[in-house]
Amino acid sequence: WQGPTSAGKTSLVEDLAAVTGHRFVRINNHAHTDVQEYLGSHVPDESGRLVFREGPLVAALREGHWIVLDELNLAPSEVLEMLNRLLDDNRELLVGETGELVRPHPSFALFATQNPAGAAYRGRKTLSRAFRSRFLEVHVD
């Protein structure tokens, strides 16, 4: 979903999720977004042991939630590369920290939003045609 700021891109997906009974999850991207923000990381548990805590993308895949990757064209290349395997015909996600391959629940849906690249929206990159071809593009005014 592409369009200007405050056009309602994310709200449209959130409303559709609510109407269809799906849980809505959102990841806000920025120039410093890390793959771990999507997949998860090791954190200490109550006893001080390091355990892997799943990130929002992995949880959404397992549980069949609808997830919006907000401002995707602000995300670093590492994040976009991590998404490739999920968006291609394999439809699977490799969680590097655990080595696990996660396949999406049948109800899982992934949406991405962005403002157009250009002078009015600094820092946004133009996503490659190959990457964009993995999505159905909707322009919102």
Side-chain angles (χ1 to χ4, degrees), residues 15-24 64-66:
D15 290 347
L16 282 170
V19 166
T20 58
H22 293 90
R23 181 165 174 228
F24 173 82
H65 303 317
W66 284 16

Side-chain angles (χ1 to χ4, degrees), residues 39 42 52-55 58-59 61-62 82 85 92-104:
L39 302 181
H42 284 90
F52 185 75
R53 180 174 299 145
E54 289 184 346
V58 176
L61 278 164
R62 288 191 199 284
M82 175 268 305
R85 190 170 187 160
E92 59 190 19
L93 181 71
L94 176 63
V95 181
E97 298 236 3
T98 64
E100 182 183 8
L101 270 180
V102 181
R103 289 188 170 76

